[in-house]
């Protein structure tokens, strides 16, 4: 048997914060992704980014009201997917903090 | 924070040459304490009004006071002078090289109130003495950390022993920056807002490098590699990679640390073999300089991004 516990999970997440994935949400996402060993890739339309790279996420320019598809590969993929879900659902969290105007 | 007790002797010893002060009489009172970091002109008190008298301060007698005293009969002016000495003043300075009368000096000896003379004009004496006193009265402390001046940015480098502070400092000195203090940085608060870092006078210009021993940085790298004191603009903590709980990946939100009650920008740099710590500290210093001149890289990037995103949203 080879790498029996490495699995790939593909999940879609709807982004519903004020603008979309700008710096703070990206930093929050990367912080969570980096807690896991699994590879995290984020697909948005025809663009792709490493979910552990802030600048990578930024250039996707993910708008609010749209969805990202996240592919997670590795032994802790399941846990990582749940953690990302939790992050995006946490209305009070850093991912959903509205951008300061001014 | 308790207010330090400064004796007239300390003030005199520290500033005798800068203020041109010479002790004329009353050396028995050198242990008197100065309780307020400024200077008073005792005109009103000499005129007889002592109900409200700033007697906790050094008294500066200038031409105005001396000319006024001269207008009085001798017995009277000696009595007036004795009267202010009786108010527990820490000391009296005659500026402009004005010569106190012999009787004044007798009073000073008898009552143990030090009398000095300075060649400075009264205004200059008051200005310089006030600055000198503020410095003496400044709250002080010490920080465990080395300090380097990186092109005008005073950086205190902290971290557990063995994390590589000295190596960092050495690498920064080799790059042309100046050592302020190694291992222990003495700090003082000036004017309630500026923190000045310096080294202890004993270890000044020296550092200890594990495996080599004590080195004299000034002798080894030249005078440009050392600096007596510098305002502290940034504190950098070097922390073992595995012990870092959370690192600010963006640097939008400024972290601070309190030194003598003043907030100073603070960053944490995770240490891992292979990371060039000196280079990172150098960049952190430049980043601090940019921020102070109004550029916040993280915010600027975010603004550009948000603009681009809102254009897309409106399409």
């Amino acid at each position: 048997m080879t790498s029996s516990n490495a699995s790939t999970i593909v999940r879609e997440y709807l982004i519903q914060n004020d603008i979309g994935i700008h710096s703070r949400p990206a930093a929050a996402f990367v912080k969570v992704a980096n807690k896991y060993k699994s590879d995290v890739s984020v697909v948005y339309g025809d663009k792709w980014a490493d979910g552990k790279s802030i600048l990578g996420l930024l250039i996707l320019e993910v708008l609010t009201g749209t969805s990202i598809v996240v592919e997670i590969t590795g032994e802790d993929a399941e846990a990582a997917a749940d953690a990302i879900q939790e992050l995006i659902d946490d209305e009070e969290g850093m991912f959903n903090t509205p951008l300061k105007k001014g | 924070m308790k207010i330090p007790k400064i004796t007239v002797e300390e003030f005199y010893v520290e500033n005798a040459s800068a203020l041109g002060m010479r002790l004329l009489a009353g050396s028995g009172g050198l242990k008197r304490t100065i309780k307020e970091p400024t200077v008073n002109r005792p005109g009103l008190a000499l005129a007889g009004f002592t109900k409200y008298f700033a007697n906790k301060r050094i008294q500066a007698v200038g031409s105005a006071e001396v000319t006024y005293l001269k207008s009085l009969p001798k017995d009277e002016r000696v009595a007036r002078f004795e009267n202010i000495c009786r108010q527990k003043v820490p000391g009296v300075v005659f500026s402009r090289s004005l010569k106190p009368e012999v009787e004044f000096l007798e009073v000073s000896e008898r009552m143990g109130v030090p009398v000095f003379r300075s060649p400075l004009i009264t205004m200059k004496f008051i200005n310089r003495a006030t600055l000198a006193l503020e410095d003496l009265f400044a709250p002080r402390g010490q920080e465990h950390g080395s300090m380097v001046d990186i092109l005008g940015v005073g950086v205190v480098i902290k971290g557990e022993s063995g994390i590589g502070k000295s190596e960092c400092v050495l690498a920064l000195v080799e790059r042309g920056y100046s050592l302020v203090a190694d291992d222990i940085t003495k700090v003082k608060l000036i004017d309630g807002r500026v923190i000045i870092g310096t080294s202890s006078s004993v270890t000044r210009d020296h550092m200890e490098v594990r495996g080599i021993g004590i080195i004299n940085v000034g002798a080894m790298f030249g005078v440009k590699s050392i600096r007596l004191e510098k305002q502290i603009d940034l504190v950098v903590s070097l922390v073992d990679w595995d012990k870092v709980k959370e690192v600010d990946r963006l640097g939008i939100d400024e972290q601070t640390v309190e030194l003598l009650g003043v907030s100073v920008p603070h960053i944490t740099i995770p240490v891992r073999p292979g990371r060039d710590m000196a280079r990172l500290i150098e960049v952190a210093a430049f980043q601090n300089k940019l921020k102070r001149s109004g550029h916040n890289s993280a915010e600027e990037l975010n603004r550009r991004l948000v603009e681009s995103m809102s254009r897309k949203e409106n399409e």
Side-chain angles (χ1 to χ4, degrees), chain B residues 7 47 49 52-53 55 67 92 100 113-114 165 173 186 193 195 199 201 204 238 248 274 280 305 312:
Chain B
T7 63
F49 181 75
Y52 193 100
F53 176 42
N55 65 339
T67 311
V92 182
V113 174
K165 285 194 299 282
V173 167
K186 297 184 115 191
R193 60 194 173 88
I195 305 281
S199 73
S201 54
R204 184 159 299 152
L238 303 180
D248 180 15
L280 293 175
L305 176 75
K312 286 222 167 91

PDB file of all heavy atoms in Angstrom, chain B residues 7 47 49 52-53 55 67 92 100 113-114 165 173 186 193 195 199 201 204 238 248 274 280 305 312:
ATOM      1  N   THR B   7      21.340  65.548  44.207  1.00  0.00           N
ATOM      2  CA  THR B   7      21.982  66.469  45.136  1.00  0.00           C
ATOM      3  C   THR B   7      22.664  67.576  44.341  1.00  0.00           C
ATOM      4  O   THR B   7      22.953  67.428  43.157  1.00  0.00           O
ATOM      5  CB  THR B   7      23.047  65.761  45.998  1.00  0.00           C
ATOM      6  OG1 THR B   7      24.074  65.278  45.138  1.00  0.00           O
ATOM      7  CG2 THR B   7      22.460  64.607  46.775  1.00  0.00           C
ATOM      8  N   ALA B  47      13.114  90.725  47.352  1.00  0.00           N
ATOM      9  CA  ALA B  47      12.363  91.943  47.663  1.00  0.00           C
ATOM     10  C   ALA B  47      11.546  91.755  48.937  1.00  0.00           C
ATOM     11  O   ALA B  47      10.919  92.695  49.422  1.00  0.00           O
ATOM     12  CB  ALA B  47      11.463  92.314  46.491  1.00  0.00           C
ATOM     13  N   PHE B  49       9.198  89.132  49.461  1.00  0.00           N
ATOM     14  CA  PHE B  49       7.982  88.327  49.337  1.00  0.00           C
ATOM     15  C   PHE B  49       8.346  86.839  49.248  1.00  0.00           C
ATOM     16  O   PHE B  49       8.814  86.363  48.210  1.00  0.00           O
ATOM     17  CB  PHE B  49       7.195  88.748  48.096  1.00  0.00           C
ATOM     18  CG  PHE B  49       5.921  87.977  47.901  1.00  0.00           C
ATOM     19  CD1 PHE B  49       4.811  88.224  48.693  1.00  0.00           C
ATOM     20  CD2 PHE B  49       5.839  86.994  46.926  1.00  0.00           C
ATOM     21  CE1 PHE B  49       3.640  87.508  48.519  1.00  0.00           C
ATOM     22  CE2 PHE B  49       4.671  86.264  46.745  1.00  0.00           C
ATOM     23  CZ  PHE B  49       3.570  86.540  47.548  1.00  0.00           C
ATOM     24  N   TYR B  52       5.179  82.848  48.434  1.00  0.00           N
ATOM     25  CA  TYR B  52       5.134  81.906  47.321  1.00  0.00           C
ATOM     26  C   TYR B  52       6.509  81.951  46.673  1.00  0.00           C
ATOM     27  O   TYR B  52       6.825  82.852  45.908  1.00  0.00           O
ATOM     28  CB  TYR B  52       4.050  82.332  46.323  1.00  0.00           C
ATOM     29  CG  TYR B  52       3.724  81.263  45.323  1.00  0.00           C
ATOM     30  CD1 TYR B  52       2.593  80.456  45.467  1.00  0.00           C
ATOM     31  CD2 TYR B  52       4.549  81.044  44.222  1.00  0.00           C
ATOM     32  CE1 TYR B  52       2.302  79.465  44.559  1.00  0.00           C
ATOM     33  CE2 TYR B  52       4.264  80.045  43.309  1.00  0.00           C
ATOM     34  CZ  TYR B  52       3.145  79.263  43.477  1.00  0.00           C
ATOM     35  OH  TYR B  52       2.851  78.274  42.578  1.00  0.00           O
ATOM     36  N   PHE B  53       7.322  80.966  46.998  1.00  0.00           N
ATOM     37  CA  PHE B  53       8.714  81.019  46.561  1.00  0.00           C
ATOM     38  C   PHE B  53       9.143  79.622  46.105  1.00  0.00           C
ATOM     39  O   PHE B  53       8.967  78.643  46.832  1.00  0.00           O
ATOM     40  CB  PHE B  53       9.583  81.512  47.736  1.00  0.00           C
ATOM     41  CG  PHE B  53      11.068  81.519  47.460  1.00  0.00           C
ATOM     42  CD1 PHE B  53      11.581  81.968  46.239  1.00  0.00           C
ATOM     43  CD2 PHE B  53      11.962  81.084  48.429  1.00  0.00           C
ATOM     44  CE1 PHE B  53      12.943  81.980  46.007  1.00  0.00           C
ATOM     45  CE2 PHE B  53      13.335  81.085  48.198  1.00  0.00           C
ATOM     46  CZ  PHE B  53      13.827  81.531  46.977  1.00  0.00           C
ATOM     47  N   ASN B  55      11.320  77.458  46.254  1.00  0.00           N
ATOM     48  CA  ASN B  55      12.557  77.194  47.008  1.00  0.00           C
ATOM     49  C   ASN B  55      13.145  75.816  46.770  1.00  0.00           C
ATOM     50  O   ASN B  55      14.186  75.484  47.312  1.00  0.00           O
ATOM     51  CB  ASN B  55      12.303  77.411  48.507  1.00  0.00           C
ATOM     52  CG  ASN B  55      11.301  76.408  49.042  1.00  0.00           C
ATOM     53  OD1 ASN B  55      10.528  75.839  48.275  1.00  0.00           O
ATOM     54  ND2 ASN B  55      11.320  76.169  50.348  1.00  0.00           N
ATOM     55  N   THR B  67      21.597  94.273  40.991  1.00  0.00           N
ATOM     56  CA  THR B  67      21.380  95.727  40.931  1.00  0.00           C
ATOM     57  C   THR B  67      20.355  96.158  41.978  1.00  0.00           C
ATOM     58  O   THR B  67      20.509  97.178  42.651  1.00  0.00           O
ATOM     59  CB  THR B  67      20.894  96.132  39.521  1.00  0.00           C
ATOM     60  OG1 THR B  67      21.758  95.529  38.575  1.00  0.00           O
ATOM     61  CG2 THR B  67      20.913  97.636  39.338  1.00  0.00           C
ATOM     62  N   VAL B  92      22.625  78.600  45.341  1.00  0.00           N
ATOM     63  CA  VAL B  92      22.460  79.877  44.637  1.00  0.00           C
ATOM     64  C   VAL B  92      23.600  80.020  43.636  1.00  0.00           C
ATOM     65  O   VAL B  92      24.753  79.731  43.951  1.00  0.00           O
ATOM     66  CB  VAL B  92      22.490  81.058  45.627  1.00  0.00           C
ATOM     67  CG1 VAL B  92      22.279  82.381  44.903  1.00  0.00           C
ATOM     68  CG2 VAL B  92      21.444  80.872  46.728  1.00  0.00           C
ATOM     69  N   PRO B 100      29.520  87.846  44.365  1.00  0.00           N
ATOM     70  CA  PRO B 100      28.726  88.031  45.575  1.00  0.00           C
ATOM     71  C   PRO B 100      29.571  88.723  46.652  1.00  0.00           C
ATOM     72  O   PRO B 100      30.787  88.529  46.706  1.00  0.00           O
ATOM     73  CB  PRO B 100      28.367  86.611  46.006  1.00  0.00           C
ATOM     74  CG  PRO B 100      29.139  85.695  45.154  1.00  0.00           C
ATOM     75  CD  PRO B 100      29.825  86.438  44.086  1.00  0.00           C
ATOM     76  N   VAL B 113      24.602  76.753  52.637  1.00  0.00           N
ATOM     77  CA  VAL B 113      23.919  76.843  51.337  1.00  0.00           C
ATOM     78  C   VAL B 113      25.002  77.125  50.283  1.00  0.00           C
ATOM     79  O   VAL B 113      25.623  78.181  50.308  1.00  0.00           O
ATOM     80  CB  VAL B 113      22.868  77.972  51.325  1.00  0.00           C
ATOM     81  CG1 VAL B 113      22.279  78.131  49.924  1.00  0.00           C
ATOM     82  CG2 VAL B 113      21.764  77.696  52.332  1.00  0.00           C
ATOM     83  N   PRO B 114      25.247  76.168  49.381  1.00  0.00           N
ATOM     84  CA  PRO B 114      26.319  76.361  48.404  1.00  0.00           C
ATOM     85  C   PRO B 114      26.042  77.563  47.485  1.00  0.00           C
ATOM     86  O   PRO B 114      24.912  77.747  47.020  1.00  0.00           O
ATOM     87  CB  PRO B 114      26.322  75.067  47.588  1.00  0.00           C
ATOM     88  CG  PRO B 114      25.532  74.091  48.369  1.00  0.00           C
ATOM     89  CD  PRO B 114      24.570  74.871  49.197  1.00  0.00           C
ATOM     90  N   LYS B 165      22.205  37.334  19.203  1.00  0.00           N
ATOM     91  CA  LYS B 165      22.173  38.808  19.213  1.00  0.00           C
ATOM     92  C   LYS B 165      23.527  39.387  18.835  1.00  0.00           C
ATOM     93  O   LYS B 165      23.618  40.253  17.978  1.00  0.00           O
ATOM     94  CB  LYS B 165      21.814  39.320  20.615  1.00  0.00           C
ATOM     95  CG  LYS B 165      20.383  39.178  20.997  1.00  0.00           C
ATOM     96  CD  LYS B 165      20.078  40.017  22.236  1.00  0.00           C
ATOM     97  CE  LYS B 165      20.867  39.611  23.459  1.00  0.00           C
ATOM     98  NZ  LYS B 165      20.348  38.411  24.132  1.00  0.00           N
ATOM     99  N   VAL B 173      27.427  45.973  12.411  1.00  0.00           N
ATOM    100  CA  VAL B 173      28.572  46.873  12.524  1.00  0.00           C
ATOM    101  C   VAL B 173      29.466  46.723  11.282  1.00  0.00           C
ATOM    102  O   VAL B 173      29.953  47.703  10.724  1.00  0.00           O
ATOM    103  CB  VAL B 173      29.364  46.583  13.819  1.00  0.00           C
ATOM    104  CG1 VAL B 173      30.722  47.272  13.797  1.00  0.00           C
ATOM    105  CG2 VAL B 173      28.563  47.049  15.036  1.00  0.00           C
ATOM    106  N   LYS B 186      21.094  50.888  28.483  1.00  0.00           N
ATOM    107  CA  LYS B 186      20.518  51.769  29.513  1.00  0.00           C
ATOM    108  C   LYS B 186      19.564  52.732  28.816  1.00  0.00           C
ATOM    109  O   LYS B 186      19.877  53.252  27.746  1.00  0.00           O
ATOM    110  CB  LYS B 186      21.629  52.546  30.217  1.00  0.00           C
ATOM    111  CG  LYS B 186      22.586  51.639  30.955  1.00  0.00           C
ATOM    112  CD  LYS B 186      23.594  52.451  31.709  1.00  0.00           C
ATOM    113  CE  LYS B 186      23.410  52.239  33.191  1.00  0.00           C
ATOM    114  NZ  LYS B 186      24.184  53.189  33.984  1.00  0.00           N
ATOM    115  N   ARG B 193       8.650  61.781  26.527  1.00  0.00           N
ATOM    116  CA  ARG B 193       8.201  61.143  25.284  1.00  0.00           C
ATOM    117  C   ARG B 193       9.313  60.455  24.485  1.00  0.00           C
ATOM    118  O   ARG B 193       9.054  59.549  23.710  1.00  0.00           O
ATOM    119  CB  ARG B 193       7.464  62.149  24.399  1.00  0.00           C
ATOM    120  CG  ARG B 193       8.343  63.302  24.025  1.00  0.00           C
ATOM    121  CD  ARG B 193       7.617  64.487  23.442  1.00  0.00           C
ATOM    122  NE  ARG B 193       8.583  65.548  23.291  1.00  0.00           N
ATOM    123  CZ  ARG B 193       9.334  65.718  22.208  1.00  0.00           C
ATOM    124  NH1 ARG B 193       9.172  64.958  21.167  1.00  0.00           N
ATOM    125  NH2 ARG B 193      10.241  66.667  22.171  1.00  0.00           N
ATOM    126  N   ILE B 195      12.694  58.178  24.206  1.00  0.00           N
ATOM    127  CA  ILE B 195      13.512  57.220  24.941  1.00  0.00           C
ATOM    128  C   ILE B 195      14.917  57.215  24.332  1.00  0.00           C
ATOM    129  O   ILE B 195      15.075  57.011  23.132  1.00  0.00           O
ATOM    130  CB  ILE B 195      12.938  55.795  24.840  1.00  0.00           C
ATOM    131  CG1 ILE B 195      11.481  55.750  25.289  1.00  0.00           C
ATOM    132  CG2 ILE B 195      13.781  54.817  25.628  1.00  0.00           C
ATOM    133  CD1 ILE B 195      11.299  55.743  26.762  1.00  0.00           C
ATOM    134  N   SER B 199      24.978  53.021  26.530  1.00  0.00           N
ATOM    135  CA  SER B 199      25.558  51.857  27.180  1.00  0.00           C
ATOM    136  C   SER B 199      26.093  52.288  28.537  1.00  0.00           C
ATOM    137  O   SER B 199      26.204  53.471  28.819  1.00  0.00           O
ATOM    138  CB  SER B 199      26.687  51.270  26.338  1.00  0.00           C
ATOM    139  OG  SER B 199      27.808  52.112  26.404  1.00  0.00           O
ATOM    140  N   SER B 201      28.921  53.161  31.055  1.00  0.00           N
ATOM    141  CA  SER B 201      30.200  53.765  30.698  1.00  0.00           C
ATOM    142  C   SER B 201      31.344  52.767  30.809  1.00  0.00           C
ATOM    143  O   SER B 201      32.364  52.907  30.146  1.00  0.00           O
ATOM    144  CB  SER B 201      30.456  54.993  31.563  1.00  0.00           C
ATOM    145  OG  SER B 201      30.343  54.628  32.915  1.00  0.00           O
ATOM    146  N   ARG B 204      31.245  50.549  27.499  1.00  0.00           N
ATOM    147  CA  ARG B 204      31.113  51.312  26.253  1.00  0.00           C
ATOM    148  C   ARG B 204      32.138  50.891  25.191  1.00  0.00           C
ATOM    149  O   ARG B 204      33.300  50.646  25.494  1.00  0.00           O
ATOM    150  CB  ARG B 204      31.282  52.812  26.567  1.00  0.00           C
ATOM    151  CG  ARG B 204      31.076  53.713  25.387  1.00  0.00           C
ATOM    152  CD  ARG B 204      30.758  55.100  25.860  1.00  0.00           C
ATOM    153  NE  ARG B 204      29.533  55.089  26.655  1.00  0.00           N
ATOM    154  CZ  ARG B 204      29.257  55.965  27.622  1.00  0.00           C
ATOM    155  NH1 ARG B 204      30.110  56.904  27.919  1.00  0.00           N
ATOM    156  NH2 ARG B 204      28.129  55.879  28.271  1.00  0.00           N
ATOM    157  N   LEU B 238      14.175  38.746  18.719  1.00  0.00           N
ATOM    158  CA  LEU B 238      14.526  37.538  17.972  1.00  0.00           C
ATOM    159  C   LEU B 238      13.989  36.354  18.769  1.00  0.00           C
ATOM    160  O   LEU B 238      14.313  36.199  19.939  1.00  0.00           O
ATOM    161  CB  LEU B 238      16.045  37.426  17.822  1.00  0.00           C
ATOM    162  CG  LEU B 238      16.743  38.606  17.151  1.00  0.00           C
ATOM    163  CD1 LEU B 238      18.245  38.345  17.064  1.00  0.00           C
ATOM    164  CD2 LEU B 238      16.178  38.848  15.763  1.00  0.00           C
ATOM    165  N   ASP B 248       2.980  38.525  12.572  1.00  0.00           N
ATOM    166  CA  ASP B 248       2.197  39.417  11.740  1.00  0.00           C
ATOM    167  C   ASP B 248       2.743  39.309  10.323  1.00  0.00           C
ATOM    168  O   ASP B 248       3.864  39.718  10.050  1.00  0.00           O
ATOM    169  CB  ASP B 248       2.339  40.846  12.288  1.00  0.00           C
ATOM    170  CG  ASP B 248       1.553  41.833  11.456  1.00  0.00           C
ATOM    171  OD1 ASP B 248       0.701  41.388  10.662  1.00  0.00           O
ATOM    172  OD2 ASP B 248       1.786  43.041  11.611  1.00  0.00           O
ATOM    173  N   GLY B 274      20.050  29.656   8.816  1.00  0.00           N
ATOM    174  CA  GLY B 274      19.989  29.991   7.397  1.00  0.00           C
ATOM    175  C   GLY B 274      19.330  31.330   7.111  1.00  0.00           C
ATOM    176  O   GLY B 274      19.473  31.865   6.028  1.00  0.00           O
ATOM    177  N   LEU B 280      17.678  40.977   7.940  1.00  0.00           N
ATOM    178  CA  LEU B 280      16.260  41.193   8.264  1.00  0.00           C
ATOM    179  C   LEU B 280      16.090  42.391   9.188  1.00  0.00           C
ATOM    180  O   LEU B 280      15.169  43.183   9.038  1.00  0.00           O
ATOM    181  CB  LEU B 280      15.673  39.925   8.909  1.00  0.00           C
ATOM    182  CG  LEU B 280      15.578  38.719   7.975  1.00  0.00           C
ATOM    183  CD1 LEU B 280      15.107  37.490   8.740  1.00  0.00           C
ATOM    184  CD2 LEU B 280      14.634  39.002   6.818  1.00  0.00           C
ATOM    185  N   LEU B 305      -4.952  47.096  -4.357  1.00  0.00           N
ATOM    186  CA  LEU B 305      -5.714  45.878  -4.610  1.00  0.00           C
ATOM    187  C   LEU B 305      -7.222  46.141  -4.533  1.00  0.00           C
ATOM    188  O   LEU B 305      -7.993  45.734  -5.404  1.00  0.00           O
ATOM    189  CB  LEU B 305      -5.324  44.819  -3.573  1.00  0.00           C
ATOM    190  CG  LEU B 305      -6.095  43.515  -3.622  1.00  0.00           C
ATOM    191  CD1 LEU B 305      -5.622  42.675  -4.795  1.00  0.00           C
ATOM    192  CD2 LEU B 305      -5.931  42.738  -2.331  1.00  0.00           C
ATOM    193  N   LYS B 312     -13.317  45.819 -10.862  1.00  0.00           N
ATOM    194  CA  LYS B 312     -13.806  44.544 -11.421  1.00  0.00           C
ATOM    195  C   LYS B 312     -15.270  44.309 -11.039  1.00  0.00           C
ATOM    196  O   LYS B 312     -16.062  43.836 -11.831  1.00  0.00           O
ATOM    197  CB  LYS B 312     -12.962  43.399 -10.857  1.00  0.00           C
ATOM    198  CG  LYS B 312     -11.583  43.358 -11.476  1.00  0.00           C
ATOM    199  CD  LYS B 312     -11.179  41.925 -11.774  1.00  0.00           C
ATOM    200  CE  LYS B 312      -9.956  41.903 -12.670  1.00  0.00           C
ATOM    201  NZ  LYS B 312      -8.713  41.873 -11.938  1.00  0.00           N
TER     202      LYS B 312
END
